[in-house]
């Protein structure tokens, strides 16, 4: 082997090492990425459960009334320490993820100081502490003064009466078995409606699975989507991807979930089938012509006005879909009717969120 | 020199960036070609204030004053309507049009109501007649007249310029999202004036392009009367000391949209404009050199015997449609104004009995008699009308 051949051999060897190193990096990254998306609960059982609701002669379970926690002798179903809201709440404004359980916080008892007024769905703080028409009224103490328990534009998916307050899950809720999907049977109890979900794997892809609550976007039964690993605590590097379609009958879209209670806002009869629309349409393609042409959410993501995609794994401008969450937060927002921006105050002090799509209405 | 040579790369990049910036501005102007009017500068954006939403705390100008996104507001559901309107569009209805829910007298849902006087009063200084748009379009029986909204929309559809039966007839002339309050006359800052007009022909492709807000340099089009013809002279405002439309000394049409282009370009340009009122197609308006003498056709005879400010018989005065006609409706026939060239309370007492009207600008001293208030000036099409001795 001459000098030149030896040099070539050394070069090939070095290249091989770099190649192997890169492959390892990719594999490791993929593994870590997958692990980071798997929201299966980990950690001590006692973070969430109490076997006997008794520790040193005192109860462990705690009630949460929307402002503070208090110990209760009444044990909770599933041997849980908290209710849904209790576990997913914090008594300060800075916590967006529980340090022990890693649960996303949807209710700060103090106005949230992170993200855009909370995580992706907003924050129940706004419907609890300020007024009753800025979010879904899940607190027993704070019904909507006008609507009471009646969802505007429809009825509960179980088809039952409106009697009873909206809850996180079950018959009168959004998460878990609420009976909103054909083939699903509603389970009235909040805890039972979500049974097993927190211990299941929600590693992507999540395309909607009626048999396993965990295999759905945000435990919303039958709904597909791609969850942001930090639930949009920040959106500059990553964000949710929502499932949309151009057919009201497709049942795994995020807007279909909303229509389970607000059906008139997501049906041909209620919305129309083409312009001129009767109500603001959802699950239609964001037009690519006229004033809409200049809004391209694939290149300039606007957290204020997100869109869904027919193929949320491969977002493209041509398949961008208007959805309920383009304008509303799912839980609550600081603004009237859970708007993502201060619509009521525009023009003036408010924000022209409409202008993101309706660019000529500025 | 050394420093220059050392930095010439950076200088070159900087110059290229500056050139790109300049070109982008140039191409932007070329690409758009007009000022895209803003909703927040429009009359609706500034003043729309429907009572129900207002009571719920929506601010003035909010979309909700016309559009209800879900046909459900404050817990009260309503029947969903086209374009998410809070009331049926009734696109070509003369008396139940959506726009009249605010633009009418009694029963207007606009907080405090809306007053819209006639052109004669606002821009000519005349005596008040109609005080709202509904009344102008729904004149009481008699000699009164108005644009027929069904005819307007049907013609616009026929022109194949983007309109369908779903469009509101008012939208043929106005873009509700950009139409500006035009009274009192205010300069736009682009050489024109604040205007409520958008040409029908611009609906499909340039819907935010207002008509009359830009001068020739900004627009490239003759959006103002002065740009249409330098021989335009404004008629007197009532009192005879100032001129229309701003009641000041400006009289060359720089503060008046080019209504000739606006009215003629898509509508009164051919003889296929049907009038329900007349039961026939309307006469073509020909304003060029071979057409009417009120337009560019010059009559050097002086037989018109015009009065001030039209007294130079060697000058071919060119008029605007609005110098004689109301845009919406009038107590006179043919939408003839009640105040013309400073002459107020003009009445046309019967068909074609125009003496009171014509003498606002003409002396009849040279006219063949008879010429009194009972005279039919048209004489079954033999004498005065558009296309003949006009």
């Amino acid at each position: 082997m001459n000098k030149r051949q030896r040099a070539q051999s050394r070069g090939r060897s070095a290249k091989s090492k770099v190649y192997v190193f890169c492959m390892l990096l990719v594999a490791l990254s993929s593994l870590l990425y997958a692990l980071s998306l798997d929201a299966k609960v980990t950690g001590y059982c006692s973070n969430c459960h109490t076997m006997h609701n008794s520790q040193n002669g005192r109860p462990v379970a705690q009630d949460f009334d929307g402002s503070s926690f208090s110990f209760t002798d009444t044990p909770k179903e599933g041997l849980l320490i908290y209710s849904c809201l209790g576990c997913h709440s914090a008594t300060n404004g800075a916590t967006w993820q529980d340090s022990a359980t890693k649960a996303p916080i949807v209710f700060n008892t103090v106005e949230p100081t992170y993200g855009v007024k909370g995580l992706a769905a907003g924050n129940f703080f706004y419907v609890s502490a300020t007024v009753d028409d800025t979010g879904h009224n899940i607190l027993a103490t704070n019904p909507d003064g006008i609507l009471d328990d009646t969802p505007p534009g429809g009825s509960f998916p179980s088809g039952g009466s409106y009697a009873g307050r909206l809850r996180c899950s079950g018959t009168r809720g959004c998460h878990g078995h609420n009976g909103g999907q054909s083939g699903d049977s509603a389970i009235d109890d909040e805890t039972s409606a979500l049974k097993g979900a927190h211990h299941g794997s929600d590693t992507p892809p999540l395309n909607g699975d009626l048999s396993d609550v965990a295999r759905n976007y945000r435990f919303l039964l039958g709904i597909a989507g791609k969850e942001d690993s930090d639930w949009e605590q920040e959106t500059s590097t990553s964000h949710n991807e929502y499932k949309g379609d151009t057919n009201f009958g497709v049942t795994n879209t995020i807007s279909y979930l909303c229509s389970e209670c607000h059906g008139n806002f997501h049906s041909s009869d209620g919305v129309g089938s083409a312009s001129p629309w009767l109500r603001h349409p959802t699950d239609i393609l964001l037009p690519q012509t006229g004033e809409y042409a200049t809004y391209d959410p694939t290149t300039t993501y606007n957290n204020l006005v997100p869109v869904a995609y027919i193929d949320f794994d491969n977002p493209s401008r041509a398949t961008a879909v208007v959805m309920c969450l383009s304008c509303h937060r799912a839980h609550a927002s600081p603004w009237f009717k859970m708007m993502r921006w201060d619509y009521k105050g525009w023009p003036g002090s408010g924000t022209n969120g409409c202008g993101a799509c309706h660019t000529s209405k500025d | 020199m050394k420093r220059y040579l050392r930095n010439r790369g950076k200088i070159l990049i900087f110059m290229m960036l500056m050139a790109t910036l300049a070109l982008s501005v140039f191409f932007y102007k070329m690409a758009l070609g007009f000022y895209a009017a803003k909703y927040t500068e429009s009359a609706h954006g500034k003043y729309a204030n429907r009572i129900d939403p207002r009571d719920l705390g929506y601010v003035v100008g909010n979309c909700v004053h016309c559009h209800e996104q879900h046909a459900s507001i404050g817990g009260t559901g309503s029947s969903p309507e086209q374009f998410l309107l809070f009331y049926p569009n009734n696109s070509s209805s003369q008396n139940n049009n959506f726009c009249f829910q605010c633009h009418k007298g009694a029963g207007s849902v606009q907080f405090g109501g809306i007053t819209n006087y006639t052109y004669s009063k606002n821009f000519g200084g005349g005596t008040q007649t109609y005080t709202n748009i509904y009344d102008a379009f729904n004149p009481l029986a008699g000699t009164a007249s108005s644009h027929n909204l069904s005819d307007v929309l049907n013609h616009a559809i026929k022109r194949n310029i983007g309109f369908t039966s779903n469009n509101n007839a008012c939208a043929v002339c106005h873009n509700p999202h950009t139409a500006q309050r035009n009274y009192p006359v205010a300069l736009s800052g682009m050489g024109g004036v604040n205007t409520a007009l958008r040409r029908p022909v611009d609906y499909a492709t340039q819907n935010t392009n207002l008509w009359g807000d830009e001068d020739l340099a900004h627009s490239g089009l003759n959006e103002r009367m002065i740009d249409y013809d330098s021989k335009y002279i404004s008629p007197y405002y009532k009192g005879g000391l100032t001129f229309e439309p701003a009641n000041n000394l400006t009289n060359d049409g720089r503060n008046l949209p080019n209504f000739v282009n606006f009215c003629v370009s898509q509508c009164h340009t051919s003889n296929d404009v049907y009038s329900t009122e007349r039961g026939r197609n309307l006469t073509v308006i020909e304003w060029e050199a071979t057409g009417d003498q009120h337009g560019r056709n010059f009559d050097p005879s002086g037989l018109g015997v015009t009065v001030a400010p039209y007294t130079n018989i060697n000058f071919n005065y060119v008029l605007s449609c609005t110098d004689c006609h109301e845009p919406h409706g009038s107590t006179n026939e043919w939408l003839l104004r009640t105040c013309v060239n400073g002459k107020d309370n003009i009445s046309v007492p019967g068909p074609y009995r125009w003496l009171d009207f014509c003498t606002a600008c003409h002396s009849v001293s040279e006219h063949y008699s008879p010429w009194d208030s009972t005279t039919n000036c048209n004489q079954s099409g033999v004498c005065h009308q558009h296309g003949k001795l006009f």
Side-chain angles (χ1 to χ4, degrees), chain B residues 185-229:
Chain B
V185 175
L187 301 180
S188 67
M190 294 171 291
V193 290
N194 290 351
T195 173
L197 305 173
R198 187 262 296 118
R199 291 191 306 173
V201 72
D202 292 329
Y203 165 71
T205 56
Q206 300 182 6
N207 199 19
T208 57
N209 186 7
L210 289 171
W211 187 250
D213 62 331
E214 296 173 281
D215 61 19
L216 195 58
H218 284 85
S219 164
L221 296 172
N222 52 8
E223 293 195 20
R224 308 174 304 170
M225 280 308 295
I226 189 176
D227 299 323
Y228 172 70
D229 202 301

Coordinates of all heavy atoms in Angstrom, one line a residue, chain B residues 185-229:
Chain B
V185 N -67.3 66.7 2.6 CA -66.3 66.3 1.7 C -64.9 66.4 2.4 O -64.6 67.4 3.1 CB -66.3 67.3 0.4 CG1 -65.1 67.0 -0.5 CG2 -67.6 67.1 -0.4
A186 N -64.2 65.4 2.3 CA -62.8 65.4 2.9 C -61.8 64.8 2.0 O -62.1 63.8 1.3 CB -62.9 64.5 4.2
L187 N -60.6 65.4 2.0 CA -59.6 64.9 1.1 C -59.0 63.6 1.6 O -58.9 63.4 2.8 CB -58.5 66.0 1.0 CG -58.9 67.4 0.5 CD1 -57.8 68.3 0.4 CD2 -59.6 67.2 -0.9
S188 N -58.7 62.7 0.7 CA -58.3 61.4 1.0 C -56.8 61.3 1.4 O -56.3 60.3 2.0 CB -58.5 60.4 -0.1 OG -57.7 60.8 -1.2
G189 N -56.0 62.3 1.0 CA -54.6 62.2 1.1 C -53.9 61.6 -0.1 O -52.7 61.5 -0.1
M190 N -54.7 61.2 -1.0 CA -54.1 60.6 -2.3 C -54.6 61.4 -3.5 O -54.6 60.9 -4.6 CB -54.5 59.1 -2.4 CG -53.8 58.3 -1.3 SD -54.5 56.6 -1.3 CE -56.2 56.9 -0.8
G191 N -54.9 62.6 -3.2 CA -55.3 63.5 -4.3 C -56.8 63.5 -4.6 O -57.3 64.3 -5.3
G192 N -57.5 62.5 -4.0 CA -59.0 62.4 -4.2 C -59.7 62.8 -2.9 O -59.2 63.5 -2.1
V193 N -60.9 62.2 -2.8 CA -61.7 62.5 -1.6 C -62.2 61.2 -1.0 O -62.1 60.1 -1.6 CB -63.0 63.3 -2.0 CG1 -62.6 64.7 -2.4 CG2 -63.8 62.6 -3.2
N194 N -62.6 61.3 0.2 CA -63.3 60.1 0.8 C -64.5 59.8 0.0 O -65.3 60.7 -0.3 CB -63.6 60.4 2.3 CG -62.4 60.5 3.2 OD1 -61.3 60.2 2.7 ND2 -62.6 60.9 4.4
T195 N -64.7 58.6 -0.3 CA -65.8 58.2 -1.2 C -66.5 56.9 -0.8 O -65.8 56.0 -0.2 CB -65.2 58.1 -2.6 OG1 -66.2 57.6 -3.5 CG2 -64.0 57.1 -2.7
A196 N -67.7 56.8 -1.2 CA -68.5 55.6 -0.9 C -68.5 54.7 -2.1 O -69.2 53.6 -2.0 CB -69.9 56.0 -0.5
L197 N -67.9 55.1 -3.2 CA -68.1 54.4 -4.4 C -67.0 53.3 -4.7 O -65.8 53.5 -4.4 CB -68.1 55.4 -5.6 CG -69.0 56.5 -5.5 CD1 -68.7 57.5 -6.6 CD2 -70.4 56.1 -5.6
R198 N -67.4 52.2 -5.3 CA -66.6 51.2 -5.9 C -67.2 50.9 -7.2 O -68.4 50.5 -7.2 CB -66.4 50.0 -5.0 CG -65.3 49.0 -5.5 CD -66.0 47.9 -6.3 NE -66.8 47.1 -5.4 CZ -68.1 46.9 -5.6 NH1 -68.7 47.6 -6.6 NH2 -68.9 46.2 -4.8
R199 N -66.5 51.0 -8.3 CA -67.1 50.7 -9.6 C -67.6 49.3 -9.7 O -66.9 48.4 -9.2 CB -66.1 51.0 -10.7 CG -65.8 52.5 -10.9 CD -65.0 52.7 -12.2 NE -63.8 51.8 -12.3 CZ -63.1 51.7 -13.4 NH1 -63.4 52.4 -14.5 NH2 -62.0 50.9 -13.4
P200 N -68.7 49.1 -10.3 CA -69.2 47.7 -10.5 C -68.1 46.8 -11.2 O -68.0 45.7 -10.8 CB -70.4 47.9 -11.4 CG -70.9 49.3 -11.1 CD -69.7 50.1 -10.8
V201 N -67.4 47.4 -12.1 CA -66.5 46.6 -12.9 C -65.3 46.1 -12.0 O -64.6 45.2 -12.4 CB -65.9 47.4 -14.1 CG1 -65.0 48.5 -13.7 CG2 -65.3 46.5 -15.1
D202 N -65.1 46.8 -10.9 CA -64.0 46.4 -10.0 C -64.4 45.4 -9.0 O -63.5 44.9 -8.2 CB -63.4 47.7 -9.3 CG -62.8 48.6 -10.3 OD1 -62.2 48.1 -11.3 OD2 -62.8 49.8 -10.0
Y203 N -65.6 45.1 -9.0 CA -66.1 44.2 -7.9 C -65.3 42.9 -7.8 O -64.9 42.5 -6.7 CB -67.6 43.9 -8.1 CG -68.1 42.7 -7.3 CD1 -68.2 42.8 -5.9 CD2 -68.4 41.5 -7.9 CE1 -68.7 41.8 -5.1 CE2 -68.8 40.4 -7.1 CZ -68.9 40.5 -5.7 OH -69.3 39.5 -5.0
A204 N -65.1 42.2 -8.9 CA -64.6 40.9 -8.9 C -63.1 40.9 -8.6 O -62.5 40.0 -7.9 CB -64.9 40.1 -10.2
T205 N -62.4 41.9 -9.1 CA -60.9 41.8 -9.1 C -60.3 42.9 -8.2 O -59.1 42.7 -7.8 CB -60.3 41.9 -10.5 OG1 -60.8 43.1 -11.1 CG2 -60.8 40.7 -11.3
Q206 N -61.0 44.0 -8.0 CA -60.4 45.0 -7.2 C -61.4 45.6 -6.2 O -61.7 46.8 -6.2 CB -59.9 46.2 -8.1 CG -58.8 45.7 -9.1 CD -58.3 46.9 -9.9 OE1 -58.6 48.0 -9.7 NE2 -57.4 46.5 -10.9
N207 N -62.0 44.7 -5.4 CA -63.1 45.1 -4.6 C -62.8 46.2 -3.6 O -63.7 46.9 -3.1 CB -63.7 43.9 -3.9 CG -65.2 44.1 -3.5 OD1 -65.8 45.0 -4.0 ND2 -65.6 43.3 -2.5
T208 N -61.6 46.3 -3.3 CA -61.2 47.3 -2.3 C -60.7 48.6 -2.9 O -60.2 49.5 -2.2 CB -60.1 46.8 -1.3 OG1 -59.0 46.4 -2.1 CG2 -60.6 45.6 -0.5
N209 N -60.8 48.7 -4.2 CA -60.4 49.9 -4.9 C -61.5 50.9 -5.0 O -62.4 50.8 -5.9 CB -59.9 49.5 -6.4 CG -59.3 50.6 -7.1 OD1 -59.1 51.7 -6.5 ND2 -59.0 50.4 -8.4
L210 N -61.5 51.8 -4.1 CA -62.5 52.9 -4.1 C -62.4 53.7 -5.4 O -61.3 53.8 -6.0 CB -62.5 53.7 -2.9 CG -62.9 53.0 -1.6 CD1 -62.5 53.9 -0.4 CD2 -64.4 52.7 -1.6
W211 N -63.5 54.4 -5.7 CA -63.5 55.2 -6.9 C -63.7 56.7 -6.5 O -64.6 57.1 -5.8 CB -64.7 54.9 -7.8 CG -64.7 55.6 -9.1 CD1 -65.5 56.5 -9.6 CD2 -63.7 55.4 -10.2 NE1 -65.2 56.9 -10.8 CE2 -64.1 56.3 -11.2 CE3 -62.6 54.6 -10.4 CZ2 -63.4 56.3 -12.4 CZ3 -61.9 54.7 -11.6 CH2 -62.3 55.5 -12.6
G212 N -62.6 57.5 -6.8 CA -62.7 58.9 -6.4 C -61.7 59.3 -5.3 O -61.5 60.4 -5.0
D213 N -61.0 58.3 -4.8 CA -60.1 58.6 -3.7 C -58.7 58.9 -4.1 O -57.9 59.3 -3.3 CB -60.1 57.4 -2.7 CG -59.5 56.1 -3.3 OD1 -59.7 55.9 -4.5 OD2 -59.0 55.3 -2.6
E214 N -58.4 58.6 -5.4 CA -57.0 58.8 -5.8 C -57.0 59.7 -7.1 O -57.9 59.7 -7.9 CB -56.4 57.5 -6.2 CG -56.2 56.5 -5.0 CD -55.7 55.2 -5.5 OE1 -56.6 54.4 -6.0 OE2 -54.5 54.9 -5.4
D215 N -56.0 60.5 -7.2 CA -55.8 61.3 -8.4 C -55.1 60.4 -9.5 O -54.8 59.3 -9.3 CB -55.1 62.6 -8.1 CG -53.7 62.3 -7.6 OD1 -53.1 61.2 -7.8 OD2 -53.1 63.3 -7.0
L216 N -54.9 61.1 -10.6 CA -54.4 60.3 -11.8 C -53.0 59.8 -11.5 O -52.7 58.6 -11.9 CB -54.3 61.3 -13.0 CG -54.1 60.7 -14.3 CD1 -55.2 59.7 -14.7 CD2 -54.0 61.7 -15.4
A217 N -52.2 60.5 -10.7 CA -50.9 60.1 -10.4 C -50.9 58.8 -9.5 O -50.0 57.9 -9.7 CB -50.1 61.2 -9.7
H218 N -51.8 58.8 -8.6 CA -51.8 57.6 -7.7 C -52.5 56.4 -8.4 O -52.1 55.3 -8.2 CB -52.6 58.0 -6.4 CG -51.8 58.8 -5.5 ND1 -51.8 60.2 -5.5 CD2 -51.1 58.4 -4.4 CE1 -51.0 60.6 -4.6 NE2 -50.6 59.6 -3.9
S219 N -53.6 56.7 -9.1 CA -54.4 55.6 -9.6 C -54.1 55.2 -11.0 O -54.3 54.0 -11.3 CB -55.9 56.1 -9.5 OG -56.7 55.3 -10.3
G220 N -53.7 56.1 -11.8 CA -53.5 55.8 -13.2 C -54.8 55.8 -14.0 O -54.8 55.6 -15.2
L221 N -55.9 56.1 -13.2 CA -57.2 56.2 -13.9 C -57.8 57.6 -13.6 O -57.4 58.3 -12.6 CB -58.1 55.1 -13.3 CG -57.7 53.7 -13.6 CD1 -58.5 52.7 -12.8 CD2 -57.8 53.4 -15.1
N222 N -58.8 57.9 -14.3 CA -59.4 59.2 -14.2 C -60.5 59.2 -13.1 O -61.7 59.3 -13.4 CB -60.0 59.8 -15.5 CG -60.9 58.8 -16.2 OD1 -61.2 57.7 -15.6 ND2 -61.3 59.1 -17.4
E223 N -60.2 59.0 -11.9 CA -61.1 58.8 -10.8 C -61.9 60.1 -10.4 O -62.9 60.0 -9.7 CB -60.4 58.2 -9.6 CG -59.9 56.7 -9.8 CD -59.6 56.0 -8.5 OE1 -60.1 56.4 -7.5 OE2 -58.8 55.0 -8.6
R224 N -61.3 61.2 -10.8 CA -61.9 62.5 -10.4 C -62.4 63.2 -11.6 O -61.9 62.9 -12.7 CB -60.9 63.4 -9.7 CG -60.2 62.7 -8.5 CD -59.1 63.6 -7.9 NE -58.2 64.1 -9.0 CZ -57.3 65.0 -8.8 NH1 -57.2 65.6 -7.7 NH2 -56.5 65.3 -9.8
M225 N -63.4 64.0 -11.5 CA -63.9 64.7 -12.6 C -62.9 65.6 -13.3 O -62.8 65.7 -14.5 CB -65.1 65.6 -12.2 CG -66.4 64.9 -12.1 SD -66.9 63.8 -13.5 CE -67.2 65.1 -14.8
I226 N -62.0 66.1 -12.5 CA -60.9 66.9 -13.2 C -60.0 66.0 -14.0 O -59.5 66.5 -15.1 CB -60.0 67.7 -12.1 CG1 -59.1 68.7 -12.8 CG2 -59.3 66.7 -11.2 CD1 -58.3 69.5 -11.8
D227 N -59.9 64.8 -13.7 CA -59.1 63.9 -14.5 C -59.9 63.4 -15.7 O -59.3 63.0 -16.7 CB -58.6 62.7 -13.6 CG -57.8 63.1 -12.4 OD1 -57.0 64.1 -12.6 OD2 -57.9 62.6 -11.3
Y228 N -61.2 63.3 -15.5 CA -62.0 62.9 -16.7 C -61.9 64.0 -17.8 O -61.7 63.7 -18.9 CB -63.4 62.7 -16.3 CG -64.4 62.5 -17.4 CD1 -64.3 61.3 -18.2 CD2 -65.3 63.4 -17.8 CE1 -65.1 61.1 -19.3 CE2 -66.1 63.2 -18.9 CZ -66.1 62.1 -19.6 OH -66.9 61.9 -20.7
D229 N -62.1 65.3 -17.3 CA -62.1 66.3 -18.3 C -61.8 67.6 -17.6 O -62.4 68.0 -16.7 CB -63.4 66.5 -19.0 CG -63.3 67.1 -20.4 OD1 -62.8 68.3 -20.4 OD2 -63.6 66.5 -21.4

